Amino acid sequence: MRHSRGRCGFAASAALMLGACASTSTTPSAGLEGSSWRLVQIAMSDGVTRPAIDRSRYTIGFGKEGVLNVRFDCNRGRGSWKSSGPGNLEFGPLALTRAMCSVGSLHDVLVRQWPNVGSYLVKDGRLFLSMMADGGTIELEPAP
């Protein structure tokens, strides 16, 4: 038993050193922490795609210790995020300002879909947030 535990400890240490630890804790994923993104589009499962006309008005910042900062068009907010491992993502409730955004804003769509995000993928430099039950995808690019 001792020999087996030693190998697991070494494997865990190696994974941590490589930044590829897939632990079962609910701490932020090192791959997202400190990153900022802006919205490209929302692609719903019914085939409707809603592009962000002004991408700078829709941003997400994954802060340290699970702090999340967002801008959804005319409103700003703060919430929490956690990841139980690569690809897994859970957002806590958002505290948002309540300004009335202009017609055509994606604010309401984002607020409505936010609790449904359950996983993420970074591919070709873009972040894809997937909604549960094949609800669709929120595509983001790195914020400048």
Side-chain angles (χ1 to χ4, degrees):
M1 212 31 114
R2 182 178 150 181
H3 182 69
S4 174
R5 187 172 49 187
R7 277 190 295 191
C8 290
F10 174 75
S13 296
L16 282 172
M17 284 186 232
L18 295 173
C21 181
S23 73
T24 58
S25 71
T26 56
T27 58
S29 171
L32 292 177
E33 187 173 85
S35 65
S36 295
W37 305 86
R38 63 185 190 176
L39 182 66
V40 173
Q41 66 181 4
I42 303 169
M44 301 304 294
S45 62
D46 61 4
V48 174
T49 300
R50 302 200 53 196
I53 304 304
D54 183 352
R55 295 177 181 184
S56 68
R57 297 186 62 85
Y58 303 93
T59 59
I60 301 169
F62 292 90
K64 293 182 180 182
E65 299 179 14
V67 174
L68 184 76
N69 291 296
V70 301
R71 178 179 179 188
F72 292 166
D73 196 3
C74 63
N75 289 294
R76 295 178 187 269
R78 187 176 175 106
S80 63
W81 67 281
K82 61 185 175 182
S83 177
S84 60
N88 296 319
L89 186 60
E90 182 181 337
F91 292 123
L94 283 176
L96 285 168
T97 57
R98 298 184 184 270
M100 184 83 139
C101 299
S102 63
V103 175
S105 173
L106 297 178
H107 170 271
D108 292 344
V109 176
L110 285 167
V111 169
R112 199 170 35 254
Q113 296 303 329
W114 202 248
N116 299 324
V117 172
S119 63
Y120 76 94
L121 172 69
V122 177
K123 182 178 178 185
D124 298 327
R126 294 203 170 184
L127 174 63
F128 297 87
L129 303 178
S130 297
M131 292 174 255
M132 293 180 265
D134 293 325
T137 305
I138 300 170
E139 181 181 345
L140 303 115
E141 65 185 6

